Amino acid sequence: MRAARPRPVLVLLLLLAVAGCGGPRVPTLAAGSPPEVVVATYLAAVQAGDEDAARSLSTPEHEASGSGLAAGPAVSVRDLLLEPAEERPTDEDAPTGESLAGGHDEAVDVRTTFVLGGGDASLPDGPTVWSFLLVRDDGGPWLVAGEGGG
Protein backbone atom coordinates (compact mmCIF):
# COMPACT_ATOMS: atom_id res chain seq x y z
CA MET A 1 0.00 0.00 0.00
CA ARG A 2 1.41 3.39 -0.99
CA ALA A 3 1.60 6.26 1.45
CA ALA A 4 -0.78 9.11 0.65
CA ARG A 5 0.86 12.25 -0.70
CA PRO A 6 -0.45 15.71 0.15
CA ARG A 7 -2.10 17.42 -2.84
CA PRO A 8 -2.03 21.13 -3.65
CA VAL A 9 -4.95 22.84 -1.96
CA LEU A 10 -4.82 25.94 -4.17
CA VAL A 11 -6.58 24.16 -7.04
CA LEU A 12 -9.29 23.03 -4.66
CA LEU A 13 -9.87 26.52 -3.35
CA LEU A 14 -10.07 27.88 -6.90
CA LEU A 15 -12.73 25.32 -7.79
CA LEU A 16 -14.85 26.36 -4.83
CA ALA A 17 -14.33 30.04 -5.60
CA VAL A 18 -15.54 29.52 -9.17
CA ALA A 19 -18.64 27.69 -7.96
CA GLY A 20 -19.29 30.39 -5.36
CA CYS A 21 -19.30 33.09 -8.07
CA GLY A 22 -22.72 32.01 -9.27
CA GLY A 23 -21.35 30.65 -12.53
CA PRO A 24 -23.72 28.36 -14.40
CA ARG A 25 -21.42 25.34 -14.56
CA VAL A 26 -18.75 23.69 -12.48
CA PRO A 27 -15.39 23.23 -14.26
CA THR A 28 -14.82 19.93 -16.04
CA LEU A 29 -12.15 17.73 -14.51
CA ALA A 30 -9.08 16.63 -16.41
CA ALA A 31 -8.56 12.91 -16.87
CA GLY A 32 -6.56 11.49 -13.99
CA SER A 33 -7.64 14.12 -11.46
CA PRO A 34 -6.70 13.05 -7.94
CA PRO A 35 -9.43 12.11 -5.44
CA GLU A 36 -9.09 15.35 -3.49
CA VAL A 37 -9.79 17.42 -6.61
CA VAL A 38 -12.82 15.23 -7.40
CA VAL A 39 -14.19 15.87 -3.90
CA ALA A 40 -13.59 19.63 -4.16
CA THR A 41 -15.30 19.70 -7.57
CA TYR A 42 -18.22 17.63 -6.24
CA LEU A 43 -18.64 20.09 -3.37
CA ALA A 44 -18.46 22.99 -5.83
CA ALA A 45 -21.24 21.33 -7.86
CA VAL A 46 -23.36 20.89 -4.74
CA GLN A 47 -22.79 24.52 -3.78
CA ALA A 48 -23.70 25.71 -7.30
CA GLY A 49 -26.80 23.50 -7.38
CA ASP A 50 -25.37 21.79 -10.48
CA GLU A 51 -26.99 18.36 -10.24
CA ASP A 52 -25.59 17.22 -13.60
CA ALA A 53 -22.01 17.93 -12.51
CA ALA A 54 -22.56 16.20 -9.14
CA ARG A 55 -24.04 13.15 -10.93
CA SER A 56 -21.11 13.02 -13.35
CA LEU A 57 -18.76 12.71 -10.37
CA SER A 58 -20.77 9.94 -8.67
CA THR A 59 -21.21 6.23 -9.20
CA PRO A 60 -24.66 5.24 -10.50
CA GLU A 61 -25.30 3.50 -7.15
CA HIS A 62 -24.51 6.64 -5.15
CA GLU A 63 -26.66 8.76 -7.43
CA ALA A 64 -29.56 6.27 -7.15
CA SER A 65 -29.30 6.18 -3.35
CA GLY A 66 -30.71 9.70 -3.10
CA SER A 67 -28.41 10.41 -0.17
CA GLY A 68 -25.55 12.80 0.39
CA LEU A 69 -25.09 16.49 -0.03
CA ALA A 70 -26.16 16.51 -3.69
CA ALA A 71 -29.56 15.01 -2.80
CA GLY A 72 -30.79 18.20 -1.14
CA PRO A 73 -30.95 21.87 -1.98
CA ALA A 74 -27.77 23.79 -2.76
CA VAL A 75 -25.75 24.51 0.36
CA SER A 76 -22.79 26.78 0.96
CA VAL A 77 -19.41 25.31 1.84
CA ARG A 78 -16.67 27.55 3.15
CA ASP A 79 -13.33 27.11 4.87
CA LEU A 80 -12.86 23.72 3.19
CA LEU A 81 -9.98 21.58 4.40
CA LEU A 82 -9.23 18.23 2.75
CA GLU A 83 -7.03 15.54 4.18
CA PRO A 84 -4.93 13.49 1.76
CA ALA A 85 -6.76 10.47 0.38
CA GLU A 86 -6.25 7.24 2.32
CA GLU A 87 -6.34 3.96 0.45
CA ARG A 88 -8.87 1.33 1.46
CA PRO A 89 -8.00 -2.33 1.10
CA THR A 90 -9.23 -3.94 -2.11
CA ASP A 91 -11.06 -7.24 -2.03
CA GLU A 92 -7.92 -9.27 -2.66
CA ASP A 93 -5.88 -7.35 -0.04
CA ALA A 94 -8.41 -7.47 2.79
CA PRO A 95 -9.23 -10.31 5.15
CA THR A 96 -12.61 -11.86 4.41
CA GLY A 97 -15.47 -9.55 5.26
CA GLU A 98 -13.30 -6.47 5.81
CA SER A 99 -13.09 -5.04 2.30
CA LEU A 100 -14.57 -1.61 1.93
CA ALA A 101 -13.74 -1.24 -1.77
CA GLY A 102 -17.08 -2.74 -2.80
CA GLY A 103 -15.58 -4.87 -5.55
CA HIS A 104 -13.85 -1.92 -7.26
CA ASP A 105 -10.19 -1.99 -8.28
CA GLU A 106 -9.29 0.92 -6.02
CA ALA A 107 -10.98 2.81 -3.21
CA VAL A 108 -9.93 5.77 -1.08
CA ASP A 109 -11.39 7.87 1.69
CA VAL A 110 -11.13 11.65 1.64
CA ARG A 111 -12.01 13.32 4.93
CA THR A 112 -13.05 16.97 4.86
CA THR A 113 -13.97 19.67 7.31
CA PHE A 114 -15.91 22.78 6.33
CA VAL A 115 -18.45 25.30 7.56
CA LEU A 116 -21.87 24.43 6.14
CA GLY A 117 -24.57 26.98 5.39
CA GLY A 118 -28.12 26.27 4.21
CA GLY A 119 -28.33 22.94 6.03
CA ASP A 120 -31.42 21.42 7.61
CA ALA A 121 -32.37 19.43 10.72
CA SER A 122 -30.45 16.36 9.52
CA LEU A 123 -27.30 18.36 8.75
CA PRO A 124 -27.34 21.71 10.56
CA ASP A 125 -25.33 24.79 9.67
CA GLY A 126 -21.89 25.15 11.19
CA PRO A 127 -18.61 23.24 11.39
CA THR A 128 -18.95 19.88 9.66
CA VAL A 129 -16.76 16.80 9.33
CA TRP A 130 -17.72 14.90 6.17
CA SER A 131 -16.01 11.88 4.60
CA PHE A 132 -16.17 10.69 1.01
CA LEU A 133 -15.57 7.22 -0.40
CA LEU A 134 -14.20 7.34 -3.94
CA VAL A 135 -13.70 4.34 -6.20
CA ARG A 136 -12.29 3.62 -9.63
CA ASP A 137 -11.81 0.70 -11.97
CA ASP A 138 -9.20 0.03 -14.66
CA GLY A 139 -7.41 3.33 -13.96
CA GLY A 140 -10.54 5.31 -14.87
CA PRO A 141 -11.77 8.42 -13.12
CA TRP A 142 -12.34 8.58 -9.38
CA LEU A 143 -16.08 8.70 -8.55
CA VAL A 144 -17.91 9.45 -5.31
CA ALA A 145 -19.43 6.17 -4.13
CA GLY A 146 -20.50 7.27 -0.66
CA GLU A 147 -20.39 10.13 1.79
CA GLY A 148 -21.42 10.94 5.30
CA GLY A 149 -20.60 12.51 8.62
CA GLY A 150 -17.50 11.49 10.49
Side-chain angles (χ1 to χ4, degrees):
M1 189 178 291
R2 295 180 311 158
R5 294 185 335 244
R7 307 274 189 214
V9 177
L10 181 58
V11 171
L12 307 175
L13 296 175
L14 285 172
L15 289 170
L16 287 176
V18 168
C21 292
R25 303 287 300 164
V26 172
T28 302
L29 288 177
S33 294
E36 298 88 348
V37 172
V38 174
V39 168
T41 305
Y42 177 83
L43 287 171
V46 168
Q47 182 164 302
D50 189 340
E51 295 177 20
D52 291 337
R55 274 195 293 274
S56 75
L57 298 169
S58 301
T59 63
E61 297 81 12
H62 183 58
E63 178 187 342
S65 74
S67 63
L69 294 174
V75 294
S76 67
V77 174
R78 60 185 176 86
D79 301 333
L80 174 65
L81 298 173
L82 294 108
E83 294 182 13
E86 292 185 21
E87 291 183 52
R88 284 189 171 195
T90 60
D91 292 339
E92 58 254 357
D93 293 336
T96 303
E98 291 186 22
S99 174
L100 298 174
H104 294 277
D105 291 345
E106 296 178 81
V108 296
D109 287 311
V110 176
R111 184 180 164 123
T112 66
T113 57
F114 51 83
V115 177
L116 181 73
D120 59 20
S122 67
L123 187 60
D125 293 350
T128 304
V129 176
W130 203 253
S131 295
F132 293 87
L133 167 64
L134 286 87
V135 297
R136 74 175 173 178
D137 294 306
D138 299 321
W142 289 102
L143 297 173
V144 176
E147 59 183 287

